[in-house]
Amino acid sequence: MTRSLHLPCSHWPWRLAIAAMVHAAGFGPAWSTQPSGAAPAVMVADFSYVDTSGEPVDQSAAHQRRLQAFMAALRNELAADQRLRLVDPSCAPACVADATAADALRHAATEAGAQIVVIGGIQKTSTLVQWARTAVVDVASNRVVFEKLYTFRGDDDAAWQRAEMFVSRELRDVLATSPASVRLALLPFTLEDTSAGAGTVGESESDVKGLRDATEAVRQLLSQSGRYRLIEVRAEAMAQPKDGCGDCDLRLARELGADQSLAGVVRRVSRTEYTISFQLRNVGTGALIAAGDSGLRLGANYSWGRGAVRLVRDRLLGGEETSP
């Protein structure tokens, strides 16, 4: 069984450091996506380690040895996975992912031709508890497409080996399917107003904001899932008559080079009641891949984003974030 994991406030700087490192490194559109079906080129940066447990005994030598074994096993298992292509950076064996080494990391990724970079860090918080955070960076879109915090108990060789096996297994599945395997066009959410007086009141500025917020919230959810390479769809491209053009959305997604398209609709029943639905389609064939309907929900337009995220998470992504 998997469960959601909430990061304590004291660990937020670590999360921010990952984001800062990504932006400082300047990962951007310097690499083209690999041909369809090709194994993505993956570079693994050395994880950082910090001990904040406050234990009186200096264990830095043991921690360094275990961290090196952790990284070696992780790279070996990624290299052995035929779905991936592990690249050897010029900075090996010391490619540390932190803000101070951002330029060196960017240069190493460029030289190695990496399309995906795995970064992370481990923190010992107490005698029996350690945290491991990993992130997967898609260098073409300059996005963290997967990020996760793991916890593991113990600080001996066996505990580290169990943690590495768990992290490796999940990372390999994520890397093999993202971020370039499925190119997804997320279409801006639209409004169908069936409430009383819909024809006279029209779409308000707060409605427009509610739709924009719903689209952005779902975009972040899908991006963080690690399953898709999101393709930008400009709102103005959607400003076209839908009457008599039932497949306009698919045509637009096809023109953008997407493999799949996701279209969401907010249906307003009253000013405080609404439903949300989505359809995920194969752009090439038009076949329906997945769909969901929230059923009647209470709330005004400010709550559409929350409802959209819950629906897509439950019906498309499996309903839960994972953690060991």
Side-chain angles (χ1 to χ4, degrees):
M1 173 65 70
T2 59
R3 59 183 178 85
S4 298
L5 186 61
H6 300 282
L7 186 62
C9 294
S10 61
H11 296 276
W12 276 107
W14 201 1
R15 185 172 192 174
L16 294 175
I18 286 181
M21 187 282 298
V22 173
H23 290 294
F27 291 129
W31 298 265
S32 60
T33 59
Q34 70 267 26
S36 178
V42 180
M43 169 180 154
V44 180
D46 287 328
F47 287 13
S48 61
Y49 188 85
V50 60
D51 186 349
T52 58
S53 65
E55 293 180 299
V57 179
D58 182 2
Q59 304 177 72
S60 55
H63 289 153
Q64 184 63 24
R65 175 179 58 80
R66 289 171 184 146
L67 181 61
Q68 290 177 349
F70 182 102
M71 298 308 305
L74 179 61
R75 290 190 175 102
N76 288 338
E77 289 166 9
L78 264 61
D81 194 317
Q82 296 183 354
R83 301 172 297 175
L84 308 173
R85 180 166 62 89
L86 189 69
V87 296
D88 188 18
S90 58
C91 59
C95 303
V96 180
D98 59 35
T100 61
D103 288 340
L105 183 63
R106 176 186 55 78
H107 179 74
T110 303
E111 291 295 317
Q115 294 160 314
I116 302 170
V117 178
V118 178
I119 60 179
I122 299 175
Q123 178 179 6
K124 183 172 183 178
T125 60
S126 69
T127 302
L128 294 177
V129 177
Q130 301 200 72
W131 303 76
R133 180 176 290 283
T134 63
V136 175
V137 181
D138 171 27
V139 296
S141 64
N142 195 27
R143 286 177 177 265
V144 176
V145 297
F146 176 81
E147 183 183 359
K148 185 168 177 181
L149 180 70
Y150 304 84
T151 64
F152 62 98
R153 295 182 64 82
D155 187 15
D156 56 18
D157 290 351
W160 279 72
Q161 289 168 6
R162 288 194 301 269
E164 186 280 327
M165 292 173 61
F166 188 94
V167 172
S168 170
R169 181 172 64 248
E170 187 157 5
L171 274 179
R172 282 181 280 133
D173 288 341
V174 168
L175 292 169
T177 57
S178 69
S181 293
V182 179
R183 299 182 296 273
L184 176 66
L186 173 60
L187 307 173
F189 274 64
T190 58
L191 175 64
E192 290 184 6
D193 196 341
T194 61
S195 64
T200 57
V201 176
E203 196 170 286
S204 67
E205 291 184 5
S206 60
D207 290 340
V208 173
K209 182 179 185 302
L211 293 171
R212 186 170 59 247
D213 290 347
T215 304
E216 181 57 28
V218 171
R219 180 185 305 280
Q220 293 182 15
L221 176 70
L222 294 173
S223 177
Q224 292 171 3
S225 75
R227 298 187 185 184
Y228 303 100
R229 175 187 291 277
L230 294 178
I231 296 177
E232 181 179 2
V233 180
R234 297 186 181 277
E236 53 266 28
M238 296 293 297
Q240 53 183 310
K242 297 288 185 65
D243 295 341
C245 185
D247 63 347
C248 282
D249 292 352
L250 286 176
R251 291 183 187 178
L252 174 60
R254 192 176 299 120
E255 291 173 0
L256 294 171
D259 300 311
Q260 299 175 7
S261 68
L262 189 148
V265 177
V266 177
R267 185 173 294 104
R268 178 155 52 200
V269 180
S270 72
R271 290 293 157 177
T272 58
E273 294 177 313
Y274 68 95
T275 67
I276 293 183
S277 62
F278 77 86
Q279 290 187 338
L280 181 71
R281 292 187 176 276
N282 182 300
V283 170
T285 66
L288 184 66
I289 299 173
D293 191 297
S294 66
L296 190 64
R297 294 182 60 86
L298 296 177
N301 46 23
Y302 59 80
S303 64
W304 292 348
R306 185 168 61 251
V309 165
R310 180 174 180 178
L311 176 65
V312 173
R313 183 182 62 227
D314 291 350
R315 300 295 179 85
L316 181 60
L317 300 181
E320 291 180 311
E321 299 175 3
T322 56
S323 173

